[in-house]
């Protein structure tokens, strides 16, 4: 059996895996899932079947697996079966428990030398239950000897149901090109306008929404549950992933940079950290009983 760490208070409970620094699943005290229930085998943890994992030292894909900064050329190695390096190192590595209580945990991940990315860094992640709110914080410190572009994010999976609705206001979105990369930035089309609560459209979504307010809301009327999402201004966009072939979940991923920003905008498309500098951001999910006045 995989060894998961348990967090709980009077309102919520979570399981956390050191592998991937991932939240395995999350439920209310009466057993209702506010994050996607774990879908993997209990004896062999699969991060892609969990409820949330961290994105560090950057998120999404790097087209061409390389970038230039100054006179230097840097390369990435593919870290999955996909052709492009994706989602950083942290979700595939093992994190160390630095501190744990009944309702909170602090984890660290250290990349001591360049590996599949050119980055050398220390990442810290805290996961805390505060009443009916899950609070998560992620930071990354450049531990290398030269400035490099960094980015962070979270990759939560939420349950999807026939009556589920989402609100997540944004000003524009990126259409999707081949290889799951962004193509053109344009105004959000009506069918994907989540400025108010509405159902997800009956089509695939794998798009970055820019100009996000950092606020979102999800409701599941069938079970009388809702969740309010809040993210730091650092996370001024989110990825929305809702596959057509699997209607059991969707992802709303707060990110500090656009997908494929290194290829499209260069190092300045991320946050260039000098040696010793740190980038950090907070993200929270507050659960409420849907139908009650908020």
């Amino acid at each position: 059996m995989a060894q998961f760490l348990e967090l709980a208070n009077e309102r919520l409970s979570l399981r956390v895996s050191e592998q991937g620094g991932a939240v395995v699943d999350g439920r209310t005290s009466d057993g209702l899932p506010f994050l996607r229930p774990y879908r993997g085998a209990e004896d062999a943890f699969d991060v892609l079947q969990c409820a949330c994992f961290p994105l560090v030292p950057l998120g999404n894909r790097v087209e061409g697996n390389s970038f230039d900064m100054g006179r230097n050329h840097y390369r990435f190695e593919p870290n999955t079966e996909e052709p492009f390096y994706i989602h950083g190192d942290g979700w595939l590595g093992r994190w160390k428990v630095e501190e744990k209580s009944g309702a909170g945990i602090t984890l660290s991940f250290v990349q001591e030398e360049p590996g599949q990315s050119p980055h050398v860094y220390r990442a810290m992640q805290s996961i805390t239950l505060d009443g009916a709110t899950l609070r998560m914080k992620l930071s990354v410190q450049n531990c290398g000897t030269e400035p490099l572009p960094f980015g962070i994010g979270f990759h939560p999976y939420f349950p999807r149901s026939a009556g589920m609705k989402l609100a997540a206001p944004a000003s524009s979105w990126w259409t999707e090109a081949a290889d799951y990369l962004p193509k053109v930035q344009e105004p959000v089309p009506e069918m994907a306008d989540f400025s108010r609560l509405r159902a997800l459209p009956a089509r695939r979504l794998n798009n970055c929404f820019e100009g996000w307010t950092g606020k979102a809301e999800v409701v599941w009327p069938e079970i009388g549950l809702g969740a309010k999402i809040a993210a730091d201004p650092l996370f001024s966009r989110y990825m929305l992933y809702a596959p057509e072939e699997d209607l059991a979940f969707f992802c709303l991923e707060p990110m500090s940079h656009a997908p494929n920003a290194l290829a499209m905008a260069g190092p300045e498309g991320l946050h260039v950290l000098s040696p010793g500098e740190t980038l950090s951001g907070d993200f929270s999910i507050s659960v409420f009983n849907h139908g009650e006045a908020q």
Side-chain angles (χ1 to χ4, degrees):
M1 295 288 288
Q3 296 296 311
F4 298 140
L5 303 165
E6 297 187 2
L7 305 180
N9 66 7
E10 71 282 359
R11 299 293 302 276
L12 305 174
S13 65
L14 291 181
R15 294 191 297 172
V16 176
S17 171
E18 293 171 79
Q19 183 62 37
V23 175
V24 180
D25 44 29
R27 297 181 181 274
T28 65
S29 57
D30 48 0
L32 300 177
F34 65 94
L35 290 168
R36 181 181 71 171
Y38 180 57
R39 308 195 306 180
E42 291 289 331
D43 60 348
F45 178 63
D46 182 350
V47 68
L48 289 176
Q49 303 302 321
C50 76
C52 184
F53 56 79
L55 309 178
V56 64
L58 52 83
N60 213 271
R61 294 166 177 84
V62 179
E63 184 181 11
N65 291 326
S66 67
F67 70 96
D68 294 316
M69 187 169 175
R71 298 181 178 180
N72 296 324
H73 182 72
Y74 300 91
R75 289 202 55 80
F76 297 88
E77 295 297 330
N79 53 356
T80 68
E81 294 179 355
E82 290 199 19
F84 301 141
Y85 177 83
I86 181 172
H87 291 331
D89 311 307
W91 71 297
L92 298 174
R94 189 167 188 85
W95 293 61
K96 177 184 176 183
V97 176
E98 297 288 348
E99 186 177 351
K100 184 182 181 302
S101 65
I105 190 169
T106 301
L107 303 163
S108 66
F109 177 79
V110 178
Q111 185 74 26
E112 295 183 338
E113 59 184 27
Q116 289 170 301
S117 84
H119 299 80
V120 176
Y121 62 93
R122 176 181 176 86
M124 299 290 295
Q125 183 183 193
S126 65
I127 304 168
T128 306
L129 299 179
D130 178 10
T133 298
L134 164 60
R135 302 190 187 280
M136 303 182 70
K137 181 173 183 176
L138 180 63
S139 67
V140 60
Q141 181 184 35
N142 182 358
C143 296
T145 59
E146 58 186 344
L148 279 180
F150 284 80
I152 57 174
F154 294 94
H155 198 306
Y157 293 77
F158 294 95
R160 184 175 178 182
S161 63
M164 187 223 87
K165 293 183 178 180
L166 169 69
S171 59
S172 63
W173 83 338
W174 289 90
T175 60
E176 185 180 16
D179 295 321
Y180 314 113
L181 297 169
K183 185 177 182 180
V184 177
Q185 187 176 8
E186 61 183 25
V188 177
E190 193 284 329
M191 64 87 183
D193 180 6
F194 297 104
S195 58
R196 54 179 175 78
L197 281 169
R198 63 178 297 170
L200 296 176
R203 52 152 285 180
R204 167 189 170 88
L205 291 174
N206 186 34
N207 306 87
C208 176
F209 287 72
E210 299 273 8
W212 181 34
T213 63
K215 304 293 184 183
E217 183 175 347
V218 187
V219 295
W220 300 275
E222 299 97 326
I223 59 174
L225 196 68
K228 290 186 180 293
I229 295 165
D232 276 355
L234 174 73
F235 302 116
S236 59
R237 77 267 303 157
Y238 63 85
M239 282 293 298
L240 183 58
Y241 176 53
E244 206 171 11
E245 67 277 8
D246 189 343
L247 302 180
F249 75 91
F250 74 98
C251 300
L252 190 152
E253 309 158 34
M255 290 181 58
S256 67
H257 60 280
N260 202 30
L262 279 174
M264 298 190 302
E268 298 302 326
L270 277 70
H271 294 259
V272 176
L273 300 183
S274 295
E277 286 190 325
T278 298
L279 179 70
S280 65
D282 294 67
F283 167 61
S284 68
I285 303 171
S286 297
V287 178
F288 63 90
N289 293 326
H290 179 54
E292 294 185 356
Q294 296 301 304

